[in-house]
């Protein structure tokens, strides 16, 4: 414009990276959760230490499929996780769950959800207590995972999980 013009217009466009979702456990629920999370704009990583289950053929919509232990992946990417990100633990096996949970709690991730019944959660909780985690740390964990919306199918459960993730992100704003 002219040098004497006092009003100017500025256009600013910001590009924030997509939120991340780490899903531990290459189980049937995982495929549905990957699909729903991708529709909502998440960058999704599926991680399982069992190579027979963690394959790109089973989870073609995932941005990454990692065959490794949860704590190894979280040691690598944990510093990149923030309040917009989510960790979902779907393995139903404490040898995977406990490292995934303790690793996630060491990050600033905004959502940590663990799938499992109340009885199952009690055994996991005992192991977390034994690992020296505080009640405050354990309070960050959502169990059972997802909102109670009467979900029955794997897709409905994925919607309930993502609803809780979205609600958690809204609570932190």
């Amino acid at each position: 414009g002219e040098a004497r013009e006092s009003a100017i217009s500025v256009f600013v466009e910001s590009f924030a990276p997509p939120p991340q979702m780490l899903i531990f456990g290459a189980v049937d629920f995982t495929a549905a959760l990957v699909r729903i999370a991708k529709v909502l704009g998440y960058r999704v990583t599926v991680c399982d230490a069992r190579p027979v289950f963690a394959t790109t053929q089973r989870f073609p919509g995932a941005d990454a499929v990692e065959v490794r232990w949860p704590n190894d992946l979280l040691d690598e990417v944990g510093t990149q996780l923030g309040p917009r990100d989510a960790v979902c633990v779907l393995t139903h096996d404490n040898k995977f769950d406990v490292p995934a949970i303790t690793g996630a709690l060491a990050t600033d991730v905004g959502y940590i959800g663990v799938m499992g019944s109340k009885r199952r959660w009690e055994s996991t909780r005992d192991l977390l207590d034994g690992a020296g985690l505080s009640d405050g740390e354990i309070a960050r964990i959502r169990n059972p995972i997802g909102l109670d919306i009467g979900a029955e199918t794997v897709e409905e459960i994925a919607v309930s999980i993502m609803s809780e993730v979205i609600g958690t992100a809204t609570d932190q704003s």
Side-chain angles (χ1 to χ4, degrees):
E2 291 184 24
R4 296 184 194 152
E5 190 73 31
S6 61
I8 60 170
S9 295
V10 177
F11 175 73
V12 177
E13 189 170 8
S14 172
F15 293 100
Q20 296 182 69
M21 175 173 281
L22 303 181
I23 304 172
F24 294 103
V27 298
D28 292 338
F29 292 101
T30 303
L33 185 55
V34 168
R35 288 191 301 274
I36 302 298
K38 289 300 295 176
V39 166
L40 294 172
Y42 281 76
R43 183 183 190 294
V44 181
T45 300
V46 174
C47 179
D48 197 304
R50 303 166 297 181
V52 68
F53 296 116
T55 67
T56 55
Q57 291 78 16
R58 288 190 70 209
F59 308 105
D63 295 289
V65 177
E66 299 281 342
V67 180
R68 57 203 297 195
W69 283 89
N71 52 313
D72 291 340
L73 178 61
L74 285 162
D75 286 347
E76 182 180 317
V77 303
T79 59
Q80 301 166 23
L81 299 175
R84 296 174 54 226
D85 303 318
V87 169
C88 297
V89 181
L90 310 180
T91 50
H92 289 92
D93 186 335
N94 281 330
K95 74 177 173 231
F96 299 115
D97 290 359
V98 171
I101 295 166
T102 56
L105 286 169
T107 73
D108 292 328
V109 70
Y111 177 87
I112 303 169
V114 179
M115 184 172 271
S117 67
K118 288 181 183 182
R119 188 181 75 209
R120 170 110 175 67
W121 174 244
E122 288 173 13
S123 72
T124 304
R125 169 78 194 242
D126 289 344
L127 292 170
L128 295 173
D129 286 337
L133 296 177
S134 71
D135 288 340
E137 290 172 307
I138 292 173
R140 289 180 59 199
I141 303 165
R142 305 293 179 120
N143 175 269
I145 195 170
L147 296 179
D148 184 3
I149 61 170
E152 294 181 11
T153 68
V154 293
E155 289 79 11
E156 291 170 344
I157 293 167
V159 167
S160 79
I161 293 168
M162 290 309 301
S163 296
E164 187 173 54
V165 170
I166 292 166
T168 301
T170 302
D171 290 345
Q172 294 175 9
S173 329

